[in-house]
Amino acid sequence: QGPLVESGGGSVQAGESLTLSCQASGYSHQRHCMAWFRRFPGKVHEGVALAALDGSTYYADSVKGRFTVSRDNVKNTLHLQMSSLRPEDTAAYYCAASPRPCILSANYLSPTNFVYWGQGAQVIVSS
């Protein structure tokens, strides 16, 4: 297993909720900024949310108001609470971490800014 391991993926109906978790291991300085990304079949990673070390957050417009990201620096976990799920949220979801501080902006929510990645958790939303 790598330094980041996701869990909690699954299949749900549209409108339902699901929570993803990411368990981190290794040195804490490797995880100054953490994030969730998702990848649709045949597409590149799309940024979902950022979680800074101090707990501040940033969301992509596509999930704002429906998803909530949180981190527990004691338990070394990152969570993504997803509500009002839509079929277009169907994707593989990835936890990522960077040793650099977050810049809470759309431009920073790019896979090129993150060094450590989980293996992914599949989320399927049926209509």
Side-chain angles (χ1 to χ4, degrees):
Q1 289 184 336
L4 300 173
V5 179
E6 300 96 339
S7 62
S11 297
V12 296
Q13 296 290 315
E16 293 183 341
S17 300
L18 197 64
T19 297
L20 300 178
S21 296
C22 175
Q23 180 66 57
S25 59
Y27 296 108
S28 61
H29 71 263
Q30 298 172 325
R31 302 184 294 275
H32 205 302
C33 182
M34 298 192 75
W36 286 99
F37 289 83
R38 61 187 180 185
R39 189 172 67 190
F40 305 107
K43 304 290 186 180
V44 299
H45 285 86
E46 174 187 278
V48 174
L50 292 169
L53 190 62
D54 65 359
S56 54
T57 58
Y58 177 85
Y59 298 92
D61 287 343
S62 58
V63 305
K64 198 175 298 182
R66 299 188 300 124
F67 290 12
T68 301
V69 63
S70 61
R71 62 188 289 175
D72 185 325
N73 296 326
V74 174
K75 296 181 179 179
N76 296 323
T77 55
L78 179 73
H79 302 284
L80 184 68
Q81 295 176 280
M82 304 180 290
S83 62
S84 301
L85 282 162
R86 305 165 180 169
E88 54 264 39
D89 293 317
T90 295
Y93 284 73
Y94 295 84
C95 172
S98 169
R100 298 182 177 182
C102 284
I103 301 174
L104 299 178
S105 69
N107 287 340
Y108 197 79
L109 196 52
S110 167
T112 59
N113 289 319
F114 292 84
V115 178
Y116 305 101
W117 291 84
Q119 82 288 353
Q122 185 68 41
V123 172
I124 300 172
V125 184
S126 302
S127 58

